[in-house]
């Protein structure tokens, strides 16, 4: 009987600027942050990830993207620090689930509902990815949603007198109970969210 772990199936398609992102030891990673793309499809998520936004020649992106069909795509390998959550990037891996979220009017008063459910294939792939990461990242202990770590509010895009959450992902339809039952990772509750 073989004692080798099965190979985790994913599509490795690094962003063009991946090598410009800060390198880090895998032992530094103790947190997984769950996001949703708040975009209609994987192609648009890739387009947004490729945008250069920082003086370093890099942009904002998660490490892993899981499409609705359960396919897993690696845009930034874990040994690089990706820009995906304010204040937690050096210690975390970002997993983006393709989901429309509040697109296209993210910060408009009338767009503050997230009503698209996450397909079973996508959640099953997430559970498998979390297990894979637990095997690959020796210090991995915590899991959190983006909305729990970035609690900032901003003026609504259509009414500056109203403030709306900057981030709401993965949102109210994300099946936290099912995901937490499938992993021993602990839910991180920050003392001082950003």
């Amino acid at each position: 009987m073989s004692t080798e772990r099965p190979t985790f199936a994913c599509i490795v398609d690094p962003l063009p600027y991946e090598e410009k992102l800060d390198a880090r030891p895998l032992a530094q990673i103790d947190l997984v942050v769950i996001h949703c793309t708040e975009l209609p499809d994987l192609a648009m998520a890739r387009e947004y990830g490729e945008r250069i936004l920082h003086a370093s020649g890099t942009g904002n992106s998660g490490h892993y993207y899981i499409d609705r069909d359960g396919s897993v795509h690696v845009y930034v390998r874990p040994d690089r620090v990706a820009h995906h959550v304010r204040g937690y990037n050096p210690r975390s891996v970002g997993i983006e689930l393709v989901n429309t979220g509040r697109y296209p009017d993210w910060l408009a008063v009338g767009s503050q509902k997230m009503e698209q459910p996450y397909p079973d294939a996508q959640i099953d792939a997430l559970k498998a990815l979390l297990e894979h990461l637990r095997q690959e990242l020796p210090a991995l202990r915590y899991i959190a949603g983006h909305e729990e770590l970035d609690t900032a509010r901003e003026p609504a895009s259509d009414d500056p007198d109203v403030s709306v959450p900057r981030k709401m992902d993965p949102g109210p339809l994300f099946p936290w109970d099912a995901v937490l039952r499938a992993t021993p990772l602990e839910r991180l509750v920050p003392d001082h969210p950003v």
Side-chain angles (χ1 to χ4, degrees):
M1 176 180 263
S2 173
T3 58
E4 288 184 34
R5 289 185 293 221
T7 302
F8 182 76
C10 58
I11 300 161
V12 179
D13 188 14
L15 292 170
Y17 57 74
E18 182 191 45
E19 293 298 316
K20 295 181 180 180
L21 294 166
D22 290 342
R24 65 177 172 190
L26 295 180
Q28 180 175 312
I29 304 166
D30 72 344
L31 170 65
V32 170
V33 181
I34 306 298
H35 302 262
C36 82
T37 58
E38 293 206 73
L39 295 166
D41 56 41
L42 186 65
M44 190 175 282
R46 176 71 186 205
E47 176 189 323
Y48 271 68
E50 288 182 349
R51 292 180 181 178
I52 303 301
L53 302 172
H54 308 291
S56 62
T58 64
N60 296 337
S61 169
H63 292 86
Y64 295 89
Y65 284 70
I66 305 178
D67 208 347
R68 292 179 182 94
D69 65 0
S71 61
V72 178
H73 305 257
V74 182
Y75 287 179
V76 176
R77 284 169 274 231
D79 64 351
R80 297 285 171 168
V81 178
H83 305 290
H84 64 97
V85 58
R86 290 201 249 176
Y88 294 87
N89 289 322
R91 68 182 280 196
S92 67
V93 166
I95 300 175
E96 296 269 1
L97 304 173
V98 175
N99 184 289
T100 304
R102 300 176 290 172
Y103 176 84
D105 299 312
W106 300 281
L107 299 179
V109 173
S111 294
Q112 298 308 300
K113 292 182 180 176
M114 298 178 73
E115 300 177 321
Q116 185 176 70
Y118 292 92
D120 290 343
Q122 192 175 44
I123 297 304
D124 290 344
L126 172 62
K127 292 174 188 177
L129 176 57
L130 291 173
E131 179 56 28
H132 169 74
L133 291 174
R134 281 186 59 256
Q135 295 171 12
E136 298 300 315
L137 305 174
L140 192 61
R141 180 175 172 192
Y142 299 108
I143 188 170
H146 194 186
E147 65 193 340
E148 297 166 312
L149 304 179
D150 187 344
T151 60
R153 297 182 70 83
E154 295 191 5
S157 58
D158 56 348
D159 185 349
D161 293 330
V162 175
S163 74
V164 296
R166 188 175 114 75
K167 297 296 178 184
M168 288 182 64
D169 57 310
L173 297 182
F174 181 74
W176 275 112
D177 289 345
V179 170
L180 291 172
R181 277 194 307 270
T183 182
L185 296 176
E186 301 171 34
R187 191 92 174 258
L188 178 70
V189 180
D191 292 332
H192 305 286
V194 176

